[in-house]
């Protein structure tokens, strides 16, 4: 049987599309975050001033905060049912909602420190993605460990909401950086291997969108942890 991805050149072109989708999503998120942080009418839609004078999420803000989670839960099924163009629009909608929900970062941290953390994240992400592409060893077992560690981190974060320990928060962020670096390499290798085993052009498009979402989430979560560690608050 002849495969759609008969050559490494074709597989690499699809992999390029994965990163193209991912960076398009990041651009949409950054633009939406800036708009909903700096444009007063947009900012007032998501945030309100509480009784203590602190900024709090409005009802619309909570809806937008939770909307990306809903899309992620159904994304696998959506891209299986939708045409490539429609699935890409769903992905970009997810990125736009993520950008809105992350606009609070611009309200808390200085723009200069956010830019610095973005550059550091991009360099780290790039190094781990390259490792995942060229690594000869199978990262599947490591991926399982990092996924279990991620669940452990989520539990620790929930516990620390009640404890409010700055030390624990710092340690969680350090471990999270390592975990998302590992997941970046693992997800990159996983996408590469799926493409080599792909027999259909439409399935390759689905792999590209799923991969873009995975790498987007790796990048955003890595960025958030680096901002927590290195970002300068206003």
């Amino acid at each position: 049987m002849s495969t759609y991805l008969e050559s490494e050149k074709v597989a690499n072109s699809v992999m390029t599309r994965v990163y193209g989708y991912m960076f398009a999503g990041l651009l949409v998120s950054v633009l939406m975050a800036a708009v909903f942080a700096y444009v007063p009418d947009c900012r007032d839609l998501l945030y309100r001033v509480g009784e203590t004078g602190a900024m709090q999420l409005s009802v619309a803000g909570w809806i937008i905060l939770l909307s990306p989670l809903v899309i992620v839960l159904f994304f696998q099924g959506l891209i299986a049912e939708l045409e490539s163009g429609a699935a890409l629009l769903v992905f970009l909608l997810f990125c736009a909602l993520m950008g809105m929900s992350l606009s609070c970062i611009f309200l808390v941290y200085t723009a200069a420190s956010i830019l610095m953390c973005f550059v550091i994240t991009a360099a780290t992400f790039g190094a781990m993605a390259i490792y995942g592409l060229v690594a000869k060893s199978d990262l599947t077992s490591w991926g399982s460990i990092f996924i279990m560690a991620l669940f452990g981190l989520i539990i620790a974060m929930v516990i620390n909401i009640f404890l409010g320990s700055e030390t624990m928060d710092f340690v969680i962020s350090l471990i999270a950086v390592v975990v998302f670096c590992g997941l970046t390499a693992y997800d990159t290798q996983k996408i590469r291997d799926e493409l080599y085993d792909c027999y259909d052009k439409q399935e390759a498009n689905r792999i590209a969108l799923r991969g873009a979402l995975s790498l987007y989430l790796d990048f955003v979560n890595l960025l958030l942890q680096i901002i927590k560690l290195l970002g300068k608050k206003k």
Side-chain angles (χ1 to χ4, degrees), residues 75-176:
F75 190 76
Q76 180 77 14
L78 286 172
I79 63 173
E81 297 294 331
L82 298 175
E83 295 294 329
S84 298
L88 178 58
L89 287 177
V90 172
F91 170 70
L92 294 176
L93 172 63
F94 165 81
C95 295
L97 291 170
M98 280 290 291
M100 294 180 204
S101 65
L102 295 174
S103 59
C104 58
I105 293 173
F106 287 89
L107 301 176
V108 176
Y109 297 92
T110 65
S113 68
I114 294 173
L115 178 59
M116 177 194 70
C117 292
F118 188 92
V119 171
I120 293 172
T121 302
T124 305
F125 178 91
M128 297 310 299
I130 291 172
Y131 176 75
L133 283 173
V134 303
K136 301 299 182 182
S137 57
D138 186 0
L139 301 179
T140 302
S141 59
W142 283 101
S144 301
I145 292 172
F146 285 127
I147 291 172
M148 289 188 291
L150 178 59
F151 282 114
L153 284 172
I154 293 172
I155 294 171
M157 288 176 184
V158 172
I159 293 173
N160 200 41
I161 290 175
F162 300 98
L163 297 180
S165 170
E166 292 186 4
T167 301
M168 186 174 179
D169 191 49
F170 179 78
V171 172
I172 288 172
S173 293
L174 283 177
I175 297 173

Side-chain angles (χ1 to χ4, degrees), residues 3 5 7-8 11-12 133 191-199:
T3 68
L5 301 177
S7 69
E8 187 172 346
N12 289 339
L133 283 173
I191 297 165
R192 182 199 68 185
D193 292 345
E194 286 181 351
L195 287 173
Y196 284 144
D197 294 333
C198 181
Y199 291 85

Side-chain angles (χ1 to χ4, degrees), residues 35-48 55 58 107:
V35 167
F36 278 82
Y38 296 130
V39 177
D41 289 342
C42 294
R43 183 175 63 240
D44 293 343
L45 178 66
L46 299 186
Y47 306 100
R48 61 182 179 83
M55 296 290 285
S58 63
L107 301 176

